[in-house]
Amino acid sequence: MSSPPSGKASPGLPDGAAAMAAESPTPPTGLRSHPEPAVRRSDGLLAGLRPVPGGRIPAQQGGGRPVRRARSLARRLWPLRRPALSSAVAALALAGSGVLILHLVQRQTGTTGLLVGLGLALLPLPFVLGSLAWLNQTARVPIRHTLFCLAWGACAATTVAIMANGWASDFLIAHQGARGETLGAEFATPLIEEVAKGSALLMLLLPLRRRHRCEQDRPCGRLRRLLWHRRGSDVAHFRPAPAGRQRARSSPRTLAAGTVLGGVTACGFAFTENALYLGRAFTADRQARLDAIGLGQAPSLRDFDGTVHTFVLRALLSPFAHPLFTALTGLGLAITLTTGRRWLASIGAPVGLLLAMALHGVWNAAAGLGTDGFLLVYGLVMVPCFAALVCFAVWAQTRRTRQPARPA
């Protein structure tokens, strides 16, 4: 019943209810008031259902919940989200590629040539890795990342390169004739090898979990959200976009990290490649020596000139060639993922990869220019580029020593 027109409280209502009824507006004459929707009791038809925003019950959501559950399950099963699972998958893949590359090299060099090639290829390895370890004092790259890059370059990248180079060479020779071999050495080989080596850098630098964080509105942030983002963990994976003027430079530690990862990957690649070429040279020299002995000629130390020439060229004159190429890729990728300037972030990685391929192509082309042409390219191109890399390493190390220690 409604309250009487006089505004007095009804005898059956409490004082508070009567006051609320008295203060409620009275509808004007001639208009019909619509009653409020009644609230259903908990023991009615909607018992046990949770309230859903938007006024719809779960059965009317259009099948969205199964889709969300499937996406959540797919993200939980994504290997990159589980360190133990991703490490096991990576170890198995690298072990399989290692067995495959050993088989491929052994087919071209023989067992004796393979062993000799591996032994000679090991000689420059400590010197190159020691130089990268000195630079790693600035980068502070974890040992597991360096081991992964070394194994990737020695096993996975070389497997991809030796198979893809063979297919590309056969295709170019079939369509271009004698010119196809030159095109393959100067254009196809640098493209294939630098992309194969740079894949390891992309896998390690792109997640940026704790050491290199990126803003949510940048391309790397959107890609990270798609692959590695966990719901409710924005703080652990992203950093908020800085207010005002953004940081315009990447830190020396980040740049050194890209250089170290690229150099270590290329160091493993150069080790396997040197073992292949040195094994081939030794097998050819040994066969020529056996043929000379069969013809009645006396053996001499000059019978292994091909092996000595290959060792001097690849292990003594150019042990930093491949690390120099891939260091440019790592440097460009580090700039792209950490710089505050958008134009620099958009061109850093492509320019670094193009420079690496161009320098690699020039180095391969120098091998066909004879001794004088090779020495000219070596002195005018390779030595200045290597000197620039050394200057960068010294600069990064100097900046690290000048920075004050952070308070605990």
Side-chain angles (χ1 to χ4, degrees), residues 124-169:
L125 199 61
F127 179 68
V128 180
L129 290 179
S131 303
L132 294 173
W134 174 78
L135 182 58
N136 197 30
Q137 295 178 2
T138 300
R140 296 190 292 245
V141 176
I143 187 63
R144 64 182 183 274
H145 291 175
T146 57
L147 292 178
F148 171 78
C149 286
L150 187 65
W152 178 275
C155 301
T158 49
T159 302
V160 173
I162 195 172
M163 298 177 67
N165 284 338
W167 297 334
S169 179

Side-chain angles (χ1 to χ4, degrees), residues 89-107:
V89 171
L92 291 176
L94 291 176
S97 61
V99 173
L100 180 58
I101 192 62
L102 284 177
H103 175 68
L104 293 176
V105 173
Q106 191 270 340
R107 287 179 57 185

Side-chain angles (χ1 to χ4, degrees), residues 3 7-10 13-25:
S3 58
K8 296 181 181 180
S10 300
L13 294 175
D15 295 340
M20 294 178 61
E23 293 178 1
S24 60

Side-chain angles (χ1 to χ4, degrees), residues 236-276:
H237 294 275
F238 300 98
R239 65 181 179 190
R245 186 171 179 268
Q246 294 186 359
R247 185 179 61 179
R249 296 181 180 179
S250 302
S251 64
R253 179 184 175 185
T254 304
L255 301 179
T259 305
V260 168
L261 292 174
V264 172
T265 305
C267 192
F269 186 92
F271 166 74
T272 305
E273 190 180 54
N274 289 343
L276 174 63

Side-chain angles (χ1 to χ4, degrees), residues 188-237:
T189 297
L191 173 63
I192 293 170
E193 293 183 357
E194 296 306 322
V195 170
K197 291 182 290 184
S199 302
L201 311 183
L202 189 65
M203 287 187 288
L204 289 180
L205 289 179
L206 189 58
L208 306 176
R209 283 197 176 271
R210 292 182 177 86
R211 300 184 58 207
H212 313 291
R213 297 178 180 176
C214 54
E215 290 80 10
Q216 300 183 23
D217 57 342
R218 292 186 52 193
C220 62
R222 291 193 291 268
L223 187 56
R224 275 185 32 76
R225 178 176 293 276
L226 177 64
L227 296 179
W228 291 279
H229 174 61
R230 293 181 181 178
R231 186 175 300 177
S233 60
D234 289 340
V235 178
H237 294 275

Side-chain angles (χ1 to χ4, degrees), residues 169-186:
S169 179
D170 295 341
F171 177 81
L172 291 175
I173 291 176
H175 289 77
Q176 298 292 333
R179 187 184 176 188
E181 185 176 358
T182 303
L183 293 176
E186 297 179 4

